[in-house]
Amino acid sequence: MSRTFPDTVNCDVPVRLNPADADYDAFVALKPLQASLPHPNPTKSFWTDGEPGCNPLASEGSDSPIPEHADVCIIGSGLTGVSCAYHLARMVESGATGSIKVVMLEARDFCRNGGHLVAKKSDRMHALVNKYGPEEAVKSPAIEEHTASEILKIIKENGWESAVDLVECRRVDLVFNAPELAAIEKDIAAARSAKVEGIDDVKFLTVEQVEKEYGAKYPAYRQPGNNLWPLKLATKLFQRARGQAVSRSFISSFLPAAFSPATPSIDLALHTHTPVTGVKPSKKGDRAYEVETTRGTIRADYVVHATNAYVSHLLPQFVGPDNGVVPTRGQVVGTRPSVPRGDLWNDNFVGNEAFEYWFPRPCPDSERPLIILGGGRESSPWETNVSDDSVLSEPVGKTLRRFLPAVYPKLFSEDTQPEFEWTGIMGYTKTIDPFVGLVSSSEARPSGEYVSVGYSGHGMPRTFACAEAIAQMIVAKRNGKTWERPSWLPIWYLTEQTRAGL
């Protein structure tokens, strides 16, 4: 069924509509520029400073000696790095690999992730089917569904719902004009034709339905969704991974060496405020790599670059835009509506080709919730090739303050000032998809270096699964076996070196 955009809708949002095509042309014309190290004093994010004690691992290991060696060195303590450690721990626990020593290094405080957890059902499916065919294209929504379902399963099995502020809700895509409606319809049709699992859960809402349920006068599409506190999830995953090592070492401490349990274990250590300045082949034969930091050098057999936007600082071959990652600054505010929680909605929203996203934080119905709103980048030149998240953009800030009052004039006021405002650095690629797998090696450089980077502002439903693939690759190599691609992992995510080995 083909739909037309209602003539009665008058879109007056303070952003440039349908920005994707024009911004893509500007993106591919960018001059390649190597990323810097993360700025040591970033703006204060709600996710890291929103409540006392929300980041208990913030400075973990920052003043303790770093080890001389490790089996695996993970660079970056965001959701990719933490998920990789988690998956390695679970594989040790299952007996898939032997005991392993893992060191995680972070340039700043532990974990600076944000966002909401939604597995898109039809995003870009028309283009993906045309490029890769339906059998491969369906892996794009499949990896997001795998990530979301596995994270929800872990949260519920461990009883973490309250600890991570889990909200199971829906995602609503507000449609601001006719071209956006036509593009979404085309993607949904392609997803239906390719038999994407769960595509029937995507429902169209008329202007009248949206106004009645949400107070906005636009048509929309709605599907299942979730949001949570990403840092709290990362903390729980890290503690769960390390908990296995702690519990087994505790038991072993009471037993004579001859009676120590033979069960494999993971030794996991985190060192924050330890920027990595270089990775090179080791001069000593016992380990493959030397990971140089501002606090000393670690020799390791495997290195995982979980650095997203900053990957080209250590791996210049990932300088964008052609075959690399471009650091791109985004801006977010935390603001409140004019009405209490009981008179508002509980769902996640995106609009303008998902360049804007917003959702409420949990609170009692009698209180006004904090709304997390990101976007506004298209109201001024994109801040591409920018690695500095210590400052704010005034034009973007003005747009974000005007956006929600324009969409919901009865629910938000332009007189309300944000309680939080911060920037963060995303890693964009030309395909809008990440690079996952082996880094190209040579006779002079070993083959044990991996990347999972370039999520292009859409990391929450992909990092966990991409990190799972990296952990599987490492374990396969340790065991002398060939890695097999999971059924949910798109072939085009894989680095050339990884694809060549399939």
Side-chain angles (χ1 to χ4, degrees):
M1 175 183 176
S2 179
R3 295 184 172 89
T4 58
F5 194 79
D7 294 334
T8 55
V9 173
N10 179 27
C11 183
D12 192 29
V13 292
V15 292
R16 175 166 50 89
L17 298 180
N18 312 116
D21 288 343
D23 287 342
Y24 176 81
D25 293 340
F27 181 87
V28 296
L30 286 171
K31 179 181 178 181
L33 187 66
Q34 191 171 4
S36 68
L37 277 170
H39 195 283
N41 297 302
T43 50
K44 287 190 175 183
S45 159
F46 167 79
W47 302 117
T48 57
D49 295 272
E51 67 180 35
C54 64
N55 194 357
L57 299 175
S59 58
E60 173 89 9
S62 59
D63 56 1
S64 60
I66 61 173
E68 294 183 359
H69 62 88
D71 295 312
V72 180
C73 183
I74 299 173
I75 307 171
S77 70
L79 278 169
T80 299
V82 170
S83 297
C84 186
Y86 173 85
H87 288 300
L88 287 171
R90 294 307 301 267
M91 295 173 82
V92 169
E93 193 174 23
S94 70
T97 190
S99 295
I100 189 169
K101 183 174 183 177
V102 180
V103 175
M104 184 179 298
L105 303 175
E106 170 58 52
R108 307 190 288 195
D109 282 358
F110 175 76
C111 188
R112 192 177 161 81
N113 285 99
H116 51 122
L117 182 62
V118 177
K120 295 180 180 179
K121 306 294 186 185
S122 61
D123 188 53
R124 298 182 294 134
M125 278 300 294
H126 178 74
L128 293 175
V129 167
N130 285 340
K131 187 171 184 178
Y132 301 106
E135 184 176 346
E136 191 64 35
V138 297
K139 290 177 171 52
S140 181
I143 190 172
E144 299 192 18
E145 181 59 37
H146 175 74
T147 295
S149 61
E150 285 297 304
I151 287 177
L152 289 175
K153 178 182 176 183
I154 292 166
I155 290 172
K156 293 177 179 180
E157 284 181 348
N158 289 278
W160 294 346
E161 291 93 333
S162 296
V164 302
D165 290 4
L166 175 65
V167 177
E168 296 182 84
C169 55
R170 297 167 295 186
R171 163 176 150 150
V172 181
D173 290 51
L174 292 186
V175 184
F176 290 152
N177 65 10
E180 188 175 10
L181 177 68
I184 294 174
E185 286 280 296
K186 190 182 294 186
D187 282 336
I188 290 176
R192 291 191 189 283
S193 178
K195 297 180 173 58
V196 168
E197 184 178 347
I199 189 60
D200 289 339
D201 294 333
V202 180
K203 307 296 185 183
F204 179 75
L205 303 179
T206 66
V207 176
E208 293 74 21
Q209 288 174 304
V210 174
E211 184 175 14
K212 180 179 179 181
E213 291 193 49
Y214 299 112
K217 296 183 179 181
Y218 301 97
Y221 291 85
R222 187 166 64 192
Q223 66 164 77
N226 314 272
N227 67 68
L228 44 72
W229 195 310
L231 169 60
K232 292 183 178 181
L233 172 64
T235 301
K236 285 294 185 183
L237 290 175
F238 182 86
Q239 291 171 337
R240 170 65 178 80
R242 188 167 62 177
Q244 179 191 350
V246 171
S247 62
R248 286 186 173 154
S249 64
F250 179 77
I251 293 171
S252 299
S253 67
F254 290 94
L255 297 173
F259 295 98
S260 294
T263 306
S265 63
I266 182 169
D267 178 354
L268 174 60
L270 166 65
H271 292 273
T272 62
H273 296 271
T274 306
V276 176
T277 56
V279 178
K280 62 184 183 182
S282 178
K283 296 177 181 179
K284 299 183 179 181
D286 60 333
R287 300 288 180 176
Y289 296 94
E290 292 182 1
V291 180
E292 299 170 336
T293 81
T294 56
R295 301 177 56 228
T297 298
I298 301 173
R299 299 194 311 280
D301 287 328
Y302 303 93
V303 178
V304 178
H305 294 261
T307 48
N308 200 28
Y310 302 97
V311 62
S312 65
H313 179 72
L314 296 173
L315 298 173
Q317 62 266 48
F318 282 94
V319 169
D322 286 342
N323 294 297
V325 180
V326 176
T328 303
R329 185 160 59 202
Q331 195 153 320
V332 189
V333 297
T335 188
R336 296 191 189 272
S338 305
V339 299
R341 169 73 184 79
D343 296 334
L344 204 65
W345 18 260
N346 191 44
D347 290 329
N348 303 338
F349 287 81
V350 296
N352 196 25
E353 299 174 340
F355 274 63
E356 278 67 51
Y357 70 91
W358 60 101
F359 56 92
R361 294 281 306 131
C363 76
D365 283 354
S366 60
E367 297 179 8
R368 293 186 301 143
L370 189 73
I371 308 295
I372 304 298
L373 165 66
R377 292 170 291 145
E378 66 276 32
S379 61
S380 65
W382 265 47
E383 295 181 314
T384 47
N385 278 331
V386 176
S387 304
D388 182 2
D389 55 3
S390 69
V391 296
L392 301 171
S393 164
E394 184 177 351
V396 173
K398 288 181 178 178
T399 296
L400 291 173
R401 285 160 172 77
R402 295 169 52 206
F403 182 80
L404 292 175
V407 177
Y408 308 96
K410 295 181 179 180
L411 303 177
F412 291 84
S413 169
E414 286 194 31
D415 295 332
T416 302
Q417 291 300 307
E419 296 178 20
F420 293 88
E421 187 166 16
W422 68 95
T423 51
I425 308 302
M426 301 171 286
Y428 270 79
T429 68
K430 188 166 65 174
T431 63
I432 317 297
D433 290 314
F435 295 103
V436 179
L438 275 167
V439 176
S440 295
S441 59
S442 65
E443 291 184 4
R445 196 171 185 95
S447 179
E449 205 169 353
Y450 299 84
V451 294
S452 187
V453 296
Y455 298 104
S456 304
H458 192 53
M460 279 295 295
R462 301 196 282 186
T463 52
F464 186 81
C466 290
E468 182 178 356
I470 295 296
Q472 291 173 353
M473 293 177 196
I474 292 172
V475 168
K477 191 171 180 64
R478 288 188 91 209
N479 295 343
K481 297 181 178 180
T482 300
W483 173 74
E484 296 183 4
R485 178 169 63 116
S487 61
W488 39 259
L489 182 61
I491 188 74
W492 67 90
Y493 280 25
L494 298 178
T495 59
E496 290 184 10
Q497 180 95 349
T498 305
R499 271 181 276 173
L502 292 178

PDB file of all heavy atoms in Angstrom, residues 281-295:
ATOM      1  N   PRO A 281      55.040  -4.210  16.479  1.00  0.00           N
ATOM      2  CA  PRO A 281      55.502  -5.579  16.715  1.00  0.00           C
ATOM      3  C   PRO A 281      56.496  -5.618  17.864  1.00  0.00           C
ATOM      4  O   PRO A 281      57.333  -4.725  18.024  1.00  0.00           O
ATOM      5  CB  PRO A 281      56.170  -5.958  15.395  1.00  0.00           C
ATOM      6  CG  PRO A 281      55.548  -5.054  14.378  1.00  0.00           C
ATOM      7  CD  PRO A 281      55.264  -3.773  15.088  1.00  0.00           C
ATOM      8  N   SER A 282      56.397  -6.657  18.669  1.00  0.00           N
ATOM      9  CA  SER A 282      57.257  -6.772  19.838  1.00  0.00           C
ATOM     10  C   SER A 282      58.684  -7.132  19.434  1.00  0.00           C
ATOM     11  O   SER A 282      58.908  -7.903  18.493  1.00  0.00           O
ATOM     12  CB  SER A 282      56.713  -7.837  20.791  1.00  0.00           C
ATOM     13  OG  SER A 282      57.570  -7.977  21.905  1.00  0.00           O
ATOM     14  N   LYS A 283      59.645  -6.570  20.156  1.00  0.00           N
ATOM     15  CA  LYS A 283      61.054  -6.881  19.928  1.00  0.00           C
ATOM     16  C   LYS A 283      61.467  -8.148  20.665  1.00  0.00           C
ATOM     17  O   LYS A 283      62.557  -8.664  20.462  1.00  0.00           O
ATOM     18  CB  LYS A 283      61.915  -5.709  20.377  1.00  0.00           C
ATOM     19  CG  LYS A 283      61.685  -4.429  19.577  1.00  0.00           C
ATOM     20  CD  LYS A 283      62.531  -3.285  20.118  1.00  0.00           C
ATOM     21  CE  LYS A 283      62.273  -2.000  19.337  1.00  0.00           C
ATOM     22  NZ  LYS A 283      63.072  -0.862  19.875  1.00  0.00           N
ATOM     23  N   LYS A 284      60.581  -8.621  21.550  1.00  0.00           N
ATOM     24  CA  LYS A 284      60.854  -9.842  22.297  1.00  0.00           C
ATOM     25  C   LYS A 284      59.980 -10.964  21.764  1.00  0.00           C
ATOM     26  O   LYS A 284      58.851 -10.743  21.352  1.00  0.00           O
ATOM     27  CB  LYS A 284      60.604  -9.617  23.784  1.00  0.00           C
ATOM     28  CG  LYS A 284      61.494  -8.530  24.395  1.00  0.00           C
ATOM     29  CD  LYS A 284      61.262  -8.383  25.879  1.00  0.00           C
ATOM     30  CE  LYS A 284      62.166  -7.313  26.469  1.00  0.00           C
ATOM     31  NZ  LYS A 284      61.972  -7.159  27.940  1.00  0.00           N
ATOM     32  N   GLY A 285      60.491 -12.170  21.794  1.00  0.00           N
ATOM     33  CA  GLY A 285      59.802 -13.271  21.150  1.00  0.00           C
ATOM     34  C   GLY A 285      58.625 -13.842  21.897  1.00  0.00           C
ATOM     35  O   GLY A 285      57.858 -14.623  21.336  1.00  0.00           O
ATOM     36  N   ASP A 286      58.424 -13.446  23.181  1.00  0.00           N
ATOM     37  CA  ASP A 286      57.370 -14.084  23.955  1.00  0.00           C
ATOM     38  C   ASP A 286      55.983 -13.538  23.647  1.00  0.00           C
ATOM     39  O   ASP A 286      54.979 -14.189  23.953  1.00  0.00           O
ATOM     40  CB  ASP A 286      57.666 -13.956  25.454  1.00  0.00           C
ATOM     41  CG  ASP A 286      57.759 -12.509  25.906  1.00  0.00           C
ATOM     42  OD1 ASP A 286      58.111 -11.654  25.067  1.00  0.00           O
ATOM     43  OD2 ASP A 286      57.479 -12.242  27.090  1.00  0.00           O
ATOM     44  N   ARG A 287      55.872 -12.346  23.084  1.00  0.00           N
ATOM     45  CA  ARG A 287      54.578 -11.747  22.731  1.00  0.00           C
ATOM     46  C   ARG A 287      54.668 -11.090  21.354  1.00  0.00           C
ATOM     47  O   ARG A 287      55.745 -10.681  20.912  1.00  0.00           O
ATOM     48  CB  ARG A 287      54.156 -10.700  23.759  1.00  0.00           C
ATOM     49  CG  ARG A 287      53.995 -11.234  25.181  1.00  0.00           C
ATOM     50  CD  ARG A 287      52.760 -12.103  25.334  1.00  0.00           C
ATOM     51  NE  ARG A 287      52.626 -12.597  26.699  1.00  0.00           N
ATOM     52  CZ  ARG A 287      51.603 -13.317  27.132  1.00  0.00           C
ATOM     53  NH1 ARG A 287      50.618 -13.649  26.293  1.00  0.00           N
ATOM     54  NH2 ARG A 287      51.552 -13.745  28.378  1.00  0.00           N
ATOM     55  N   ALA A 288      53.521 -10.952  20.694  1.00  0.00           N
ATOM     56  CA  ALA A 288      53.518 -10.448  19.318  1.00  0.00           C
ATOM     57  C   ALA A 288      53.597  -8.922  19.222  1.00  0.00           C
ATOM     58  O   ALA A 288      54.193  -8.386  18.290  1.00  0.00           O
ATOM     59  CB  ALA A 288      52.255 -10.935  18.600  1.00  0.00           C
ATOM     60  N   TYR A 289      53.010  -8.219  20.206  1.00  0.00           N
ATOM     61  CA  TYR A 289      52.889  -6.763  20.110  1.00  0.00           C
ATOM     62  C   TYR A 289      53.417  -6.070  21.352  1.00  0.00           C
ATOM     63  O   TYR A 289      53.395  -6.627  22.457  1.00  0.00           O
ATOM     64  CB  TYR A 289      51.416  -6.348  19.924  1.00  0.00           C
ATOM     65  CG  TYR A 289      50.798  -6.833  18.653  1.00  0.00           C
ATOM     66  CD1 TYR A 289      50.080  -8.025  18.631  1.00  0.00           C
ATOM     67  CD2 TYR A 289      50.928  -6.116  17.475  1.00  0.00           C
ATOM     68  CE1 TYR A 289      49.502  -8.488  17.462  1.00  0.00           C
ATOM     69  CE2 TYR A 289      50.358  -6.570  16.294  1.00  0.00           C
ATOM     70  CZ  TYR A 289      49.646  -7.746  16.294  1.00  0.00           C
ATOM     71  OH  TYR A 289      49.086  -8.204  15.129  1.00  0.00           O
ATOM     72  N   GLU A 290      53.832  -4.838  21.157  1.00  0.00           N
ATOM     73  CA  GLU A 290      54.133  -3.924  22.248  1.00  0.00           C
ATOM     74  C   GLU A 290      53.122  -2.785  22.192  1.00  0.00           C
ATOM     75  O   GLU A 290      53.039  -2.071  21.187  1.00  0.00           O
ATOM     76  CB  GLU A 290      55.556  -3.379  22.143  1.00  0.00           C
ATOM     77  CG  GLU A 290      56.619  -4.429  22.378  1.00  0.00           C
ATOM     78  CD  GLU A 290      58.028  -3.863  22.324  1.00  0.00           C
ATOM     79  OE1 GLU A 290      58.173  -2.629  22.111  1.00  0.00           O
ATOM     80  OE2 GLU A 290      58.983  -4.651  22.488  1.00  0.00           O
ATOM     81  N   VAL A 291      52.332  -2.648  23.249  1.00  0.00           N
ATOM     82  CA  VAL A 291      51.324  -1.592  23.337  1.00  0.00           C
ATOM     83  C   VAL A 291      51.909  -0.506  24.237  1.00  0.00           C
ATOM     84  O   VAL A 291      52.059  -0.691  25.442  1.00  0.00           O
ATOM     85  CB  VAL A 291      49.998  -2.131  23.914  1.00  0.00           C
ATOM     86  CG1 VAL A 291      48.959  -1.008  23.986  1.00  0.00           C
ATOM     87  CG2 VAL A 291      49.483  -3.281  23.052  1.00  0.00           C
ATOM     88  N   GLU A 292      52.241   0.607  23.628  1.00  0.00           N
ATOM     89  CA  GLU A 292      52.893   1.689  24.350  1.00  0.00           C
ATOM     90  C   GLU A 292      51.856   2.654  24.915  1.00  0.00           C
ATOM     91  O   GLU A 292      50.942   3.078  24.202  1.00  0.00           O
ATOM     92  CB  GLU A 292      53.846   2.437  23.417  1.00  0.00           C
ATOM     93  CG  GLU A 292      54.963   1.551  22.858  1.00  0.00           C
ATOM     94  CD  GLU A 292      55.761   2.225  21.760  1.00  0.00           C
ATOM     95  OE1 GLU A 292      55.211   3.151  21.112  1.00  0.00           O
ATOM     96  OE2 GLU A 292      56.928   1.836  21.551  1.00  0.00           O
ATOM     97  N   THR A 293      51.999   2.994  26.183  1.00  0.00           N
ATOM     98  CA  THR A 293      51.086   3.930  26.831  1.00  0.00           C
ATOM     99  C   THR A 293      51.889   5.024  27.518  1.00  0.00           C
ATOM    100  O   THR A 293      53.122   4.957  27.605  1.00  0.00           O
ATOM    101  CB  THR A 293      50.209   3.217  27.888  1.00  0.00           C
ATOM    102  OG1 THR A 293      50.952   3.071  29.108  1.00  0.00           O
ATOM    103  CG2 THR A 293      49.750   1.847  27.416  1.00  0.00           C
ATOM    104  N   THR A 294      51.185   6.013  28.028  1.00  0.00           N
ATOM    105  CA  THR A 294      51.857   7.085  28.765  1.00  0.00           C
ATOM    106  C   THR A 294      52.371   6.607  30.114  1.00  0.00           C
ATOM    107  O   THR A 294      53.094   7.334  30.794  1.00  0.00           O
ATOM    108  CB  THR A 294      50.882   8.254  28.991  1.00  0.00           C
ATOM    109  OG1 THR A 294      49.702   7.762  29.662  1.00  0.00           O
ATOM    110  CG2 THR A 294      50.479   8.894  27.675  1.00  0.00           C
ATOM    111  N   ARG A 295      52.019   5.377  30.497  1.00  0.00           N
ATOM    112  CA  ARG A 295      52.408   4.851  31.807  1.00  0.00           C
ATOM    113  C   ARG A 295      53.259   3.588  31.695  1.00  0.00           C
ATOM    114  O   ARG A 295      53.473   2.893  32.686  1.00  0.00           O
ATOM    115  CB  ARG A 295      51.159   4.582  32.644  1.00  0.00           C
ATOM    116  CG  ARG A 295      50.280   5.819  32.868  1.00  0.00           C
ATOM    117  CD  ARG A 295      49.009   5.502  33.642  1.00  0.00           C
ATOM    118  NE  ARG A 295      49.322   4.872  34.905  1.00  0.00           N
ATOM    119  CZ  ARG A 295      48.727   3.766  35.364  1.00  0.00           C
ATOM    120  NH1 ARG A 295      47.806   3.163  34.635  1.00  0.00           N
ATOM    121  NH2 ARG A 295      49.050   3.266  36.534  1.00  0.00           N
TER     122      ARG A 295
END
